[in-house]
Amino acid sequence: MHGVTLAGLSGSDFVEQRARRLVDSSAAAGADWVSIAPGWYQATRSASRIRLDPVRTPPDEDIHNLIDRAHAAGLRVMLKPFVNSDDGVWRGEIRPADPGAWFADFTLMTRHYADLAERSGADLFSLGTDVGFAEATLATEWRSLIADVRRRFSGWLTYAASHAPTSGAGGYAAVPYWDDLDFIGVNAYFPLADRLISHAQLADAWNVWLEEIESWRAGRNLDQPVVFTELGYRSAATAATQPRAADPVKAHEVDPDLQANLYTAFFGLPYRRESLQGVFWWRWDPDTTNGQDSTFAPNGKPAEAVLRRAYTAATRRPFHPASRAAGSS
């Protein structure tokens, strides 16, 4: 899966004209998959209620039309809803005061988007993103939710787990229900280096993490392919050591060349490991025009050219044959 992520961070992100730019630019870059990511929100880290936000959540009709447009362009689609906190805490740090009430709202959200994924013909559905506090403690509820989504959605299923535990919870290795899903999804913000090193050394650092995933997968007797449901780097000097960090950086720390080097390192041997069946880059934004900002978007920066070369190469990894007809474990 040669993917990019189309994030719905405002209610207008998937309107018709922007949807056209998102799809056309993704296809032109060589992507054959897109991840469409709409968000719901909660007030604080400890809040127990989740809500749709009409200002920040793209309307269902816009998501449906974006999926239609992507399919018309020959792209396959993962629908990947997420929950964010209004207080700016990263979603993996969410710790609701009432986990049961939170998960009840989360279940409603997940059912809503599973039904939308089915109506729209999405190819792959992610049941959540970085819900670290609940992965192990609510395992029974997760398995029930997965079974419910199977009845609603006829395509493939995954879940987007964090690359590592946060505050003692979460991480892909702690998820107990991978055997109920079709793909092992990892948001792969692995730290790589604490200093500037060569592409080969960066690739070696990647291979350490990939070997760890493969060893864990074998130890759990899992045969589901691994997909990096998110991977991205800011164009900032700290991108190799803190890939997931989203805080603004000082002007002198902006570093588009390091971002491109990190893309290049991944598209070497790590990208070609057989256990890895897809990657979705965070985040694709064709409206980004500032090649000297510190955002994750590769657009207009040297990293975009690296991605294009990898995704359009004659020797790129073969297309993954996922289809809605095979939505069972």
Side-chain angles (χ1 to χ4, degrees):
M1 300 173 180
H2 311 84
V4 294
T5 301
L6 313 180
L9 304 179
S10 82
S12 61
D13 271 346
F14 298 153
V15 297
E16 183 177 1
Q17 289 185 339
R18 178 165 164 78
R20 184 181 301 113
R21 292 192 298 274
L22 288 168
V23 168
D24 290 350
S25 62
S26 299
D32 51 29
W33 281 78
V34 291
S35 170
I36 297 174
W40 282 25
Y41 298 85
Q42 61 187 75
T44 65
R45 174 184 189 268
S46 60
S48 301
R49 305 309 303 265
I50 304 168
R51 70 191 187 281
L52 177 153
D53 184 332
V55 175
R56 291 176 290 180
T57 305
D60 288 354
E61 182 180 4
D62 286 353
I63 296 172
H64 179 92
N65 291 338
L66 178 57
I67 293 173
D68 276 352
R69 185 176 293 277
H71 282 152
L75 302 172
R76 295 193 177 186
V77 175
M78 172 169 67
L79 185 59
K80 180 174 167 284
F82 62 87
V83 177
N84 272 357
S85 179
D86 291 342
D87 58 9
V89 170
W90 174 62
R91 68 180 69 93
E93 296 278 6
I94 288 173
R95 299 291 186 273
D98 186 339
W102 189 97
F103 200 81
D105 277 2
F106 178 77
T107 295
L108 293 175
M109 182 192 79
T110 303
R111 288 171 174 167
H112 173 83
Y113 282 114
D115 290 342
L116 176 60
E118 180 65 17
R119 293 195 306 270
S120 304
D123 304 277
L124 174 63
F125 182 71
S126 173
L127 282 95
T129 302
D130 295 319
V131 191
F133 79 90
E135 289 165 359
T137 59
L138 297 176
T140 300
E141 289 85 349
W142 275 106
R143 289 190 186 275
S144 177
L145 178 58
I146 292 167
D148 185 17
V149 170
R150 287 273 186 213
R151 291 188 289 269
R152 295 168 181 272
F153 177 65
S154 58
W156 295 79
L157 297 183
T158 190
Y159 168 74
S162 177
H163 73 284
T166 303
S167 300
Y172 72 87
V175 174
Y177 44 82
W178 289 123
D179 54 334
D180 283 351
L181 300 171
D182 301 305
F183 293 94
I184 297 167
V186 181
N187 290 345
Y189 296 101
F190 295 97
L192 296 181
D194 58 4
R195 57 189 174 82
L196 185 61
I197 57 179
S198 69
H199 292 160
Q201 289 171 312
L202 286 170
D204 286 343
W206 253 121
N207 283 327
V208 170
W209 294 117
L210 287 163
E211 287 167 7
E212 184 177 288
I213 292 173
E214 290 167 5
S215 176
W216 160 81
R217 180 169 165 259
R220 285 275 302 271
N221 294 316
L222 296 169
D223 57 7
Q224 288 86 346
V226 175
V227 174
F228 285 168
T229 40
E230 282 184 28
L231 172 59
Y233 301 102
R234 293 179 301 151
S235 46
T238 55
T241 55
Q242 299 175 330
R244 190 178 60 202
D247 295 335
V249 301
K250 298 176 182 178
H252 71 273
E253 294 175 328
V254 174
D255 194 342
D257 290 332
L258 176 58
Q259 182 189 41
N261 287 339
L262 290 163
Y263 272 63
T264 299
F266 175 78
F267 279 124
L269 293 177
Y271 166 68
R272 299 186 179 282
R273 292 182 80 109
E274 282 301 314
S275 61
L276 181 64
Q277 292 296 307
V279 58
F280 291 85
W281 289 94
W282 180 275
R283 74 182 179 98
W284 188 255
D285 185 1
D287 293 339
T288 295
T289 58
N290 181 5
Q292 291 297 317
D293 65 25
S294 63
T295 65
F296 282 89
N299 308 75
K301 305 171 190 174
E304 180 178 1
V306 176
L307 183 148
R308 286 176 179 272
R309 284 197 300 271
Y311 275 7
T312 59
T315 57
R316 76 174 187 173
R317 291 287 302 276
F319 176 77
H320 193 283
S323 72
R324 285 167 53 80
S328 60
S329 297

